[in-house]
Amino acid sequence: MSTVPDEADIGLGKANPEPTNDEGPTVEDVDQTESRNGAEQPSTIVEILQSVRQEDLEEEHTDQNGGSFGSYGRVVREDGEEEEPSIENNEEVLASPARERPSSADGSLSTPDDTPSIQNSVISSQGRHRYLGRGHSPTPSLRPFDKRFQARLSQSPLQSPRPQSPAYLQTHSRQSSILVQIVQDNGDADTPDAPWEVVRWTKLRKISGQAFSELGKRNFGRPTCIAVSASIALGTSKGIILVFDYHQNLKTIVGPGTHAVESGSITSLAFSADFSTIAGGHMNGSIFTWEIARPSKPFLHIPSVDRGRVRGSEGDGHVSGVAVLHLGFLGTRHTALVSADDRGMAFSHLATRGMGAIARSVRTTRILGRYPEPVAVLTKPKKPSTVLAFAPLPLGNAEHVTDDMGLVAMLTPYLLVIVSTIPIAQTQHKATRPKELAAHGTMSAALAWFPAMKPTIRDGSSSETGSNAKLAYCWSNILTIMDISEAGASEKTNSDKFPELQFTLRKRWKAEEAIVAVQWLGSSVLGVLTISQQLIILEDNSLQVSDSSDLIKKHIYHTDLFSQQLSQLVEKLDEEDTSMHGVVADAFYMSLKAYKGRLFLLGFNDVSMGSLSNWADRLLALMENGNFIGAIELATAYFNGEGDKATVGLPEDDDSRHSIVQEKLVEMISASLKYAFGKNQEAGTPRVAPSQLKDLCTACFSACLSIDDPEFLFEDVYSWYADEHVQGIFLEILEGYITDGVIRTLPPGVLKDLVGYFVDKGRDAQLEEVLCRLTPETMDIDQVTTLCRKYKLYDALFYVWSQALGDYTTMLSNLLDLPEDDSAKSELDEDPENTTAFDRSSKIFPYLSYILTGRTYPTGEVMSEPKVTISKAEIYHFVFSGRRNSVILANGGSEIAIPSFPHLRSLLDLDTSSFLSMLNEAFEDNFLNGPSDQLNRQENATGLTEEQRFGMSLNRQYIISILLEVMVPPAYVADEIIYLDIFIARNIPKFPQFILLPGSTLHRVLTELCEYHSAANAEDCQLSVEYLLSVYQPPEILSMIPLLSKARFYRVIKSIYRTEKMYAQLLQACFEDQENLDAIFVCIADCLKPNSGLSRQQREDVRSVIIQNASTLVVAGLAQAASTIDRYTPDLHASLLGTLDHDDHARFQYLREVLEPNKTEPAVESHPGGLNQGFVEQYVRLLCNYDPHHVSEYIEKLKVGELRLDSVLPALESSGVVDAAVVLLAREGKVQEGIDRLTRHLETLGSALIGLFRGAGEAPDVANTHEAAEDLTDSLQKYTRVGIWICHGLSKSTERGKSANKYLSHKGSTHDVLSVDEKLWLDLVDSVVHVVRDATEVLDSRPSLSSDEQRAQEGHPKDSGLLDTSRVLNSLRSLVQETFTALLKVTSIPPTHDARSKDFSFLRIFRAFLNRASISSPSLANLRAVLAAIFSAYSYEESLLSLANRLLDKDLFVRVSEMSVLRKRGWRPLGQACEGCGRKVWGPGTGGRIWDAWAEAGQVADALSAESGASAAQVVPRDNGKGKAVIRPDEEVEKGEKGTGEEGRNVKQAGHVGALVIFSCRHIFHQQCLEEMQTTGERPDGRQAGGLELICPLCT
């Protein structure tokens, strides 16, 4: 294979700005001097960058893309020529100011000096708090033995109000490019474009001028497609191919004067692997191949096949008139091609070798699709298809199993098909469209191969092993990456066996719109073109969008190639068919090509070439745009491996990438600093704002820390800021990195300036934190300690003294004002008495806690093993050393001896609780396990001092012994000794093997814990007693009960009673514990549950305690008490209710919890042993007072006999709960009495309603009158429905005689005798009608307007006292209608065997009602409205019935119609042969007897028609049902009748086998065969198989 010329060998370099004229010279002659707008003097920073590079570097380093980042203003090509890096002139792209980041200089949220932190350990200022006295904790409300000391600097960063340093700012998202984030403008809502082009485009002006000029179009035709390799080829509409070199010279014109120009326009192009041959597909289906060196005649001609002879013996090929849309060479051969057309057919073409074109023959093999069928033989329309995308797998530089297989990938609207063409055509893989594809979207498809390649190693060589081939393909907006490898390659043994391929779907990506073209720009970079002409750059490994570019202005050539063929997929839209599409996209694949990382675009008016901008181009663009801060940030991101490295040409290997970027990054920082500060000196006026200086400093910090070059940061960068007297900016940013732990060491000069800066600003707290975060080895100890003493920075003083000098006790001694000797006393210049006790304790005890637990104070870092042992030993010796110091002379000259353990006493005097809390925390450390462990752990034990050995010899037993010796009265009061008791009680159970104390001591501790003086210590003391009793058992534990009761240690008392199984006393203790009353119910449940194990006497004792404390139990929780007693001891309900005699509401709640714990339950269980009938009746009476609406519902749930009427009826009537009273009377069998009470209440409500109507005119408040009228109307409806329910249901329980209990409708009447049921209905109807009639008369007799609008029209005000009576009248009349409707339903029940139903007549009730009405109302005019309501009930029922009938008729008609259609539908047999004899009965091969029988049957039918006459033709009846077939006599069959089966036909067959019978199971038989099979046995139903009814013998 020949070598492909690279960019350096041809005339195409970096992309350049486009002039306005259409014609121009070659690429290298393009003007490169156009100015770049939008930057603030961009040339200045670039010139500075050039000078920095010339000073620092002596040789150039070549970048990854063959160019070097030389002089930053030009890109140097390998051939030595310099070319200006081009960016298209876009006036909309402006310089974006750099991002501002927070610092502590302004707006800092640092903790002020006097703000206390957790556990009051960070107060650095003096004199702000009063002295609290000896033995008092600074925070008495915080239980001292539960806390852990914590310094300010060791708390979590999440709790710190200080903003995080720029080093920890959140990085960018891969979805949103880091490049855009760096250049974004915080002042605008919209994100501006980056100052560089994603793809640097160069317009190929000479090629465009020759191909798109009027002369070129006239001579060659319009360009229709492009192909790129070592040359650039354009196919034209006149069948001519133009071949250009990379200097844009027209090398060859292929096709003029040959048959190619007669074959139509060029529709596809392809270069061979060695670039010497080019193939073109034409509109008429012909294919020509040409040797570029000899274009006068075609190297190979593959003609199309005539449409009429496609199925002849001439072989396969493209049908004449069908365009060849896709074309490609296979491997390295010139005579092996593959092609596809727009009708969905694809072929492989293999030409034999010969002496010339005449002797060369072509063998064409179809690999996809079908030839078009003639219209006459079409049986079923096939789905339209085409080849949307097509490509053979090219050869890579690594050997792969696919090299000799000739793989071809094809995308149709339905499938991905991969076919191997060598040695024979064979399908290797098929895949359907992904399920994620949205239905009815845009139909588009594209694919691109990337061959197996050898990866490049750091030294530039290639690896021996190559990668697998991969395929990128997409339907619509779903892109998929597939890897192709050899299946079982590691286990392959037989090399002659045809290889098997494995296709692995690796990743999928979903775009926002349809994809029309895809190309590989590199091994890991994909270029994707969408339907809106957006170019998206993807990284192969992650499929994340790295960049995007709008190509709409490029006017890419596209045409409609597929919509006509696929019109059925868009025109016949079916919502249920997901294969349908809304539109077919135009074809773009022939206009976008990629070669060696460069893109080539065929537009409507020009040809363009572009390449991705690399990392150096992007950094240069930022520098030229004036955004030097963004350039530094971007270079830092590249160094750290952020962003898409493959897209910008950076290696994945960290070492290689660091070596490339680091050098350029340092140069950019130097140039930026020189530009920001050096030019200020020259100009004399500031050109860089302070905010930019801050951002520049932040970028320099991030960059120098990333490249691990702090020396450059503190020597070069800091020098620029210090020389310009703006070092405060640098120091403010430095503080954030120090407090976050990123920077631990500083040069002495920088540290001195840092200390001076914070001192001048008065920020002592921040300075203290900074000093504690730095490594003390680099500090000036004298300077720092003097500063800490001056400003009382005790945290920093402790830190420096302990970490730098290894002295852990001197500062502690100084703070306690007990110097060990004169030299130690001189160490403290300031008098420690100026520091209050509160301030000292807030520093001393956290310091001791940290050191004794192996942590560095105040940072909290874990100390190393040699240091941690020494520090603990020295602290323990300092605190617990019992030696006496030298004698001190008093003022009178007398000697005063310092008492034993002076430091221990000082600490106890300072704050007893904090000291013991600290010691409690230290006891958990293994250091106190024993001296042997510490000496064994210390490697250099021989070099230990006496004090250190003493400290290592301490253990917990010794410390407690010393504390018991020291803390005795009168030196310490009881309020202080109690903390020692708590400390001992807490630690003995935790370390029983290390602490041994006599019983007298433990008993004294126990007693003192029970005799505490401060209520704040009560909970700590009780918890300590629980700890102590877990390991210590007093001789007489019960004798301690009075003392424990006095101390109110109820948890301890309960535990003792539970252990001693004294359950009654246990329950009594629960009652006495007012702080935990819920424990009462748990105790009762544990004692009285069935399996509790208590004896009868113990249960009785528990019950006695409950009775004695019944009032307390109710107070603890009324509902919980009721449920607990009801569950475990229901006989005590009376005792608890007795305590509620004077609280009816509480009794009501108690009874409700027992009787109705859950109102949703269908029934209430009775309580024979708990609540008697009296309590149920009492609950009903209470319900009448507190929940009257629920009375009737509750009574319905009760059983008959559970309530006495005389007990609850007065309460029901007095509370107005008439419905409940009526229901109760009806359930007791007193139906008539219940109806009487109901009618009386209805009359009362009617009277109230009438009175309300009559007084409405005088009522001052019309709104209340309306509301009262609606309430009365609702009550009437409610009680009317209650009466209907009683008459309809409960009247059946009344005693009835045969004819003894009769009722005469009125006096003197001897007919229309009513039964009891009828009388009930009559009384209800009469009462309702009476109320409605009287109310209607009142309403009709007074003025009324029905609406506010009518009132306004008549001149009445809105609130004039006139009722809106229309609603009331409608409601009243509906009562009559509802009552008579219910009566109609009862009387319309069909007669049954019950005699009562026969005597129940609506007419008798209605006649009796009219008789009553005639007596009370002589005139029927008063009953007119009532009768209208009655008749409306009839009409309403009639309308409902008629509507139901119509619905049923319609539904029935639909179902019957569907059934009729189904029964007339024919059945298709399962096979073509008789299931009995196996002879073929229909279809091809049955012979001519079928036709003869059909013709004979036709003649017989004609004869019958002629005999019957035209007016009365006799039609032979047919069975069309799906039931069992009824076979007619054989005589009729022989006459030619077509016969019957289940939807079948009887056809006369030769051989006298009878008609055909087909069943619903689709089995087919000869009639004779079926009868012979069934005469041998009986049917499954027991009847004989013979006869005229047949069944399928295979299914029964």
Side-chain angles (χ1 to χ4, degrees), residues 1441-1592:
L1441 291 174
S1442 60
L1443 178 61
N1445 288 334
R1446 287 198 300 271
L1447 292 176
L1448 290 174
D1449 291 344
K1450 181 179 179 180
D1451 185 70
L1452 183 62
F1453 173 78
V1454 173
R1455 297 300 179 187
V1456 172
S1457 176
E1458 293 178 355
M1459 185 180 299
S1460 176
V1461 172
L1462 291 175
R1463 293 174 68 89
K1464 292 178 180 179
R1465 183 180 297 173
W1467 293 323
R1468 180 183 179 89
L1470 288 175
Q1472 297 181 352
C1474 172
E1475 301 290 348
C1477 63
R1479 296 173 56 189
K1480 203 165 188 179
V1481 297
W1482 71 281
T1486 55
R1489 63 181 184 276
I1490 300 295
W1491 172 262
D1492 297 337
W1494 180 80
E1496 183 179 354
Q1499 295 175 2
V1500 173
D1502 294 341
L1504 292 176
S1505 299
E1507 293 177 359
S1508 60
S1511 61
Q1514 296 181 359
V1515 181
V1516 178
R1518 298 177 59 189
D1519 288 329
N1520 292 329
K1522 290 192 178 181
K1524 299 173 182 178
V1526 179
I1527 305 303
R1528 301 179 181 177
D1530 291 340
E1531 304 87 58
E1532 298 180 2
V1533 177
E1534 293 296 333
K1535 290 180 181 179
E1537 184 183 3
K1538 291 186 179 180
T1540 181
E1542 294 185 27
E1543 296 295 321
R1545 296 176 180 271
N1546 295 332
V1547 182
K1548 184 176 178 180
Q1549 302 291 334
H1552 303 286
V1553 292
L1556 296 178
V1557 180
I1558 179 172
F1559 295 94
S1560 61
C1561 58
R1562 298 172 58 188
H1563 291 134
I1564 189 170
F1565 298 89
H1566 291 113
Q1567 178 185 352
Q1568 182 177 349
C1569 298
L1570 184 62
E1571 292 177 349
E1572 291 177 356
M1573 294 175 66
Q1574 291 190 339
T1575 54
T1576 58
E1578 296 183 351
R1579 292 165 48 103
D1581 55 5
R1583 295 180 293 171
Q1584 294 294 327
L1588 299 179
E1589 294 186 1
L1590 300 176
I1591 61 175
C1592 179

Side-chain angles (χ1 to χ4, degrees), residues 1067-1145:
L1067 182 57
Q1068 183 63 40
C1070 293
F1071 279 111
E1072 294 175 0
D1073 186 6
Q1074 297 296 322
E1075 296 181 358
N1076 189 17
L1077 293 177
D1078 291 338
I1080 298 175
F1081 307 105
V1082 178
C1083 183
I1084 294 175
D1086 292 339
C1087 293
L1088 298 182
K1089 61 185 179 182
N1091 57 348
S1092 62
L1094 272 70
S1095 64
R1096 177 174 297 181
Q1097 183 60 40
Q1098 288 175 327
R1099 289 178 179 270
E1100 289 298 328
D1101 294 340
V1102 171
R1103 288 163 52 86
S1104 299
V1105 174
I1106 295 175
I1107 295 173
Q1108 295 173 6
N1109 298 274
S1111 58
T1112 306
L1113 181 61
V1114 172
V1115 172
L1118 186 64
Q1120 198 170 0
S1123 60
T1124 303
I1125 295 300
D1126 186 64
R1127 182 175 181 181
Y1128 297 106
T1129 175
D1131 56 325
L1132 297 182
H1133 281 308
S1135 300
L1136 269 70
L1137 287 172
T1139 62
L1140 304 173
D1141 287 339
H1142 302 290
D1143 191 350
D1144 290 342
H1145 187 265

Side-chain angles (χ1 to χ4, degrees), residues 1 74 258 376 378 422 448 647 743 850 960 1029 1043 1353 1447 1466 1491 1512 1550 1578:
M1 297 176 62
R74 300 177 181 275
T258 64
L378 280 177
I422 300 174
T647 305
I743 297 178
Y850 273 51
I960 290 181
L1029 291 179
L1043 188 60
Q1353 293 175 4
L1447 292 176
W1491 172 262
E1578 296 183 351

Side-chain angles (χ1 to χ4, degrees), residues 733-1017:
I733 298 175
L734 175 62
E735 179 202 0
Y737 284 94
I738 294 175
T739 54
D740 290 332
V742 179
I743 297 178
R744 298 298 306 273
T745 60
L746 291 179
V750 178
L751 178 59
K752 180 179 179 180
D753 293 346
L754 179 66
V755 171
Y757 175 78
F758 279 98
V759 169
D760 294 340
K761 295 292 184 180
R763 296 164 58 183
D764 301 339
Q766 286 82 354
L767 176 59
E768 184 178 33
E769 183 176 357
V770 167
L771 293 176
C772 293
R773 296 293 183 183
L774 293 174
T775 303
E777 285 77 5
T778 60
M779 296 182 182
D780 186 343
I781 303 300
D782 293 336
Q783 175 193 15
V784 173
T785 55
T786 302
L787 179 69
C788 292
R789 292 192 191 99
K790 181 178 180 180
Y791 295 100
K792 303 296 186 294
L793 305 180
Y794 298 116
D795 286 344
L797 200 57
F798 273 122
Y799 176 76
V800 173
W801 208 274
S802 61
Q803 299 301 312
L805 303 179
D807 188 349
Y808 299 93
T809 60
T810 299
M811 289 308 306
L812 192 60
S813 176
N814 290 337
L815 281 181
L816 289 174
D817 195 22
L818 289 174
E820 293 183 347
D821 47 35
D822 296 337
S823 61
K825 184 177 180 179
S826 62
E827 291 293 334
L828 188 61
D829 295 338
E830 298 291 335
D831 186 5
E833 291 296 335
N834 294 333
T835 304
T836 63
F838 185 85
D839 287 334
R840 288 186 293 163
S841 64
S842 65
K843 300 299 179 182
I844 291 175
F845 296 114
Y847 171 74
L848 292 175
S849 174
Y850 273 51
I851 299 301
L852 295 182
T853 54
R855 295 174 291 169
T856 301
Y857 181 82
T859 60
E861 298 177 357
V862 179
M863 291 190 290
S864 59
E865 179 55 36
K867 185 184 294 186
V868 68
T869 304
I870 298 299
S871 62
K872 292 178 183 179
E874 292 184 1
I875 291 294
Y876 280 121
H877 173 267
F878 174 80
V879 176
F880 296 102
S881 174
R883 67 181 178 85
R884 296 178 179 272
N885 288 334
S886 58
V887 177
I888 298 177
L889 295 178
N891 294 332
S894 61
E895 296 182 356
I896 300 175
I898 299 177
S900 61
F901 307 105
H903 299 139
L904 173 61
R905 294 178 184 272
S906 298
L907 292 171
L908 290 172
D909 293 343
L910 185 62
D911 191 340
T912 305
S913 63
S914 294
F915 174 77
L916 292 174
S917 177
M918 175 275 299
L919 199 59
N920 181 65
E921 187 175 353
F923 261 40
E924 299 175 0
D925 190 67
N926 295 332
F927 182 85
L928 296 176
N929 287 347
S932 58
D933 295 342
Q934 305 308 323
L935 294 175
N936 294 335
R937 199 180 309 171
Q938 185 69 21
E939 297 179 359
N940 190 15
T942 57
L944 297 176
T945 64
E946 182 180 353
E947 290 80 3
Q948 294 171 352
R949 289 182 177 274
F950 174 80
M952 292 181 184
S953 65
L954 290 184
N955 54 33
R956 298 177 182 88
Q957 180 73 39
Y958 179 79
I959 293 175
I960 290 181
S961 300
I962 293 176
L963 291 174
L964 289 173
E965 177 186 348
V966 171
M967 294 188 68
V968 293
Y972 295 92
V973 298
D975 286 343
E976 296 171 339
I977 297 177
I978 194 68
Y979 291 112
L980 177 59
D981 297 330
I982 295 174
F983 173 76
I984 294 175
R986 294 283 187 93
N987 285 279
I988 284 182
K990 292 191 291 186
F991 310 103
Q993 70 276 29
F994 296 107
I995 302 175
L996 298 176
L997 294 179
S1000 59
T1001 302
L1002 296 179
H1003 191 79
R1004 179 175 59 83
V1005 170
L1006 179 60
T1007 304
E1008 291 175 352
L1009 287 173
C1010 296
E1011 295 175 348
Y1012 62 90
H1013 293 81
S1014 175
N1017 296 329

Side-chain angles (χ1 to χ4, degrees), residues 583-644:
V583 66
V584 179
D586 286 359
F588 284 78
Y589 68 90
M590 64 286 190
S591 305
L592 178 67
K593 302 294 181 180
Y595 183 70
K596 287 200 171 184
R598 298 175 179 85
L599 285 172
F600 293 83
L601 281 182
L602 173 63
F604 281 97
N605 300 310
D606 55 18
V607 179
S608 301
M609 185 198 73
S611 60
L612 289 176
S613 58
N614 58 22
W615 66 278
D617 297 328
R618 301 185 181 202
L619 294 179
L620 177 61
L622 284 172
M623 298 291 285
E624 290 179 336
N625 202 42
N627 191 0
F628 52 89
I629 300 174
I632 296 174
E633 293 176 345
L634 181 58
T636 305
Y638 287 151
F639 183 88
N640 295 330
E642 301 172 5
D644 302 306

